[in-house]
Amino acid sequence: MRITMKHIAQEAGVSVMTVSNVINGKGGKVSIDKRIEIEKIIKKYNYSPNMNAKALVNASSRLIGLLYYSDGPGYDFSDPFATEVLSGIESIAKKENYFILIHNVNSLEDIQEIQSNWAFSGFIAVGFYQEIYLKMVEAVSVPIVFVDTHLDNEGEALNNSNVYFVKSDDYLQAKKAVDFLYSQGHEKIGFLSYNFDLEIVGVIEQRFNGYKDSLLEKGLSFDKDLIFNDSDFDKLIENLKQFTALFVTADFLAMNFIKYLRNKGLYDVNRLSIISVDDIRYAELNNPPLTTIRLNQVYKGSVAIERIIQIVEKQSDIPKVTIIEGELIERDSVSWHAKKVDYDQ
């Protein structure tokens, strides 16, 4: 196993930054006992820092860190959202002669470790919810563009000169989706998403609230029994009689559910209309082609890298928040609902 600063920091019970400071002769604020302990651990593992990385630390760079946050040990880079955002970032970075280092993080220590080994001009942070956002801002001294991060007090965040946001208005896009289903005659509308916590401000939480408020504003009932997550496919089938349409928070999930229904011999667009969000490049190729809200994820990525470059190059009048508008894309997965559907027919 390759020993890293993170391993040394964990064994010494200190931060990665403290280990880095000791290695680089900047341990003045570290107690003598703790410094000796860290040095013993370094000697025990015969650890030597990456000299190429150390050289970068002491030089200017055109390096942008692209950080994907995940709660688990790894980020699912096969997720079309991740790849499309990356595609937009890479196209602009290459054109402007910037370099991108991609890293999955799930802790503050991960962020500290990569900072101690590389000199970043700035970061693009994807998938960071409020709690980890606050830790990120405290740990990083270079500009950060957060992609699709929602906060309950964005005004306070905007006072930080290093913080910028590029995102969709996920609440509004969810309302747009439900409004369209309602315009097609649907009044019993279910909700399907990946697992989420309503107490955590984030993309799915925003989409859920948009869904719920759209129903209530139309005088429709909000039924908690019609809220499902990606582990509830069997439960969804058991409740198919209870709704005629389903709002799904991601195209990829909608496509998986349609496939699941087909495998059970239960899919019929005239019995169940489905609308989702993203318009990933495969949505149009689905059977049937998905009706969805296009969020322009490739464009979102290109805007995020453009913002970082503008900040690094000290351009003026850089917007603190950039909202990427969504667009309703009508295809074939939503049908007109004129009467109550009987699933026993």
Side-chain angles (χ1 to χ4, degrees), residues 235-270:
K235 183 180 175 183
L236 267 160
I237 287 177
E238 293 171 3
N239 287 273
L240 281 177
K241 292 183 180 181
Q242 307 305 315
F243 52 94
T244 65
L246 190 63
F247 168 55
V248 187
T249 59
D251 290 345
F252 196 58
L253 179 57
M255 294 163 68
N256 279 332
F257 182 57
I258 289 173
K259 179 182 177 182
Y260 185 83
L261 289 175
R262 284 194 181 282
N263 289 341
K264 299 284 187 180
L266 294 173
Y267 182 72
D268 183 347
V269 68
N270 294 312

Side-chain angles (χ1 to χ4, degrees), residues 37-304:
E37 181 184 355
I38 293 170
E39 289 170 347
K40 283 182 178 179
I41 297 171
I42 291 171
K43 185 176 181 179
K44 178 175 75 170
Y45 291 114
N46 194 28
Y47 173 78
S48 61
N50 185 316
M51 297 311 294
N52 289 330
K54 279 194 73 177
L56 272 176
V57 170
N58 297 311
S60 61
S61 85
R62 297 176 70 82
L63 181 65
I64 304 297
L66 174 55
L67 306 180
Y68 285 90
Y69 180 80
S70 66
D71 289 316
Y75 190 93
D76 182 8
F77 286 101
S78 66
D79 184 334
F81 166 76
T83 57
E84 292 191 4
V85 170
L86 175 58
S87 176
I89 290 171
E90 194 276 336
S91 64
I92 301 298
K94 185 175 182 180
K95 177 183 174 183
E96 300 296 331
N97 295 315
Y98 277 78
F99 302 92
I100 304 297
L101 188 150
I102 304 170
H103 201 83
N104 167 59
V105 300
N106 51 38
S107 69
L108 181 60
E109 287 73 21
D110 288 338
I111 298 168
Q112 291 172 329
E113 182 171 8
I114 62 172
Q115 277 196 115
S116 68
N117 284 302
W118 301 91
F120 292 97
S121 295
F123 287 105
I124 297 172
V126 182
F128 284 64
Y129 58 85
Q130 182 159 289
E131 181 180 354
I132 193 69
Y133 156 84
L134 293 171
K135 294 178 180 178
M136 173 83 167
V137 170
E138 289 180 1
V140 175
S141 59
V142 296
I144 316 167
V145 171
F146 288 91
V147 176
D148 285 341
T149 291
H150 297 277
L151 306 173
D152 58 16
N153 187 359
E154 191 173 280
E156 181 177 334
L158 297 182
N159 292 327
N160 188 319
S161 60
N162 273 340
V163 173
Y164 296 78
F165 298 91
V166 175
K167 59 184 177 179
S168 303
D169 186 334
D170 290 288
Y171 174 85
L172 181 62
Q173 303 319 310
K175 293 189 72 174
K176 187 182 296 183
V178 176
D179 289 349
F180 178 70
L181 291 174
Y182 182 74
S183 76
Q184 301 303 298
H186 297 278
E187 297 187 354
K188 294 291 186 178
I189 303 170
F191 179 89
L192 171 62
S193 78
Y194 295 108
N195 195 31
F196 73 107
D197 185 344
L198 265 178
E199 299 300 315
I200 297 176
V201 179
V203 170
I204 299 180
E205 174 264 347
Q206 289 287 299
R207 292 177 185 174
F208 173 81
N209 285 325
Y211 155 83
K212 179 180 178 180
D213 288 352
S214 182
L215 293 178
L216 296 178
E217 288 171 7
K218 295 172 177 57
L220 303 178
S221 61
F222 167 68
D223 188 346
K224 292 182 179 179
D225 291 334
L226 300 186
I227 309 304
F228 308 96
N229 64 45
D230 56 323
S231 63
D232 291 335
F233 282 8
D234 286 337
K235 183 180 175 183
L236 267 160
I237 287 177
E238 293 171 3
N239 287 273
L240 281 177
K241 292 183 180 181
Q242 307 305 315
F243 52 94
T244 65
L246 190 63
F247 168 55
V248 187
T249 59
D251 290 345
F252 196 58
L253 179 57
M255 294 163 68
N256 279 332
F257 182 57
I258 289 173
K259 179 182 177 182
Y260 185 83
L261 289 175
R262 284 194 181 282
N263 289 341
K264 299 284 187 180
L266 294 173
Y267 182 72
D268 183 347
V269 68
N270 294 312
R271 292 176 178 267
L272 178 65
S273 289
I274 293 177
I275 189 170
S276 53
V277 180
D278 284 332
D279 194 31
I280 60 176
R281 64 189 62 187
Y282 307 112
E284 189 174 12
L285 303 178
N286 190 64
N287 182 20
L290 280 177
T291 295
T292 185
I293 305 296
R294 177 179 292 163
L295 296 185
N296 297 300
Q297 307 293 20
V298 174
Y299 176 64
K300 187 180 291 178
S302 68
V303 171

Side-chain angles (χ1 to χ4, degrees), residues 316-335:
S316 59
D317 300 323
I318 304 169
K320 295 287 286 183
V321 180
T322 303
I323 302 295
I324 307 299
E325 297 296 331
E327 177 187 2
L328 173 67
I329 305 297
E330 296 184 43
R331 296 196 181 105
D332 301 334
S333 64
V334 173
S335 64

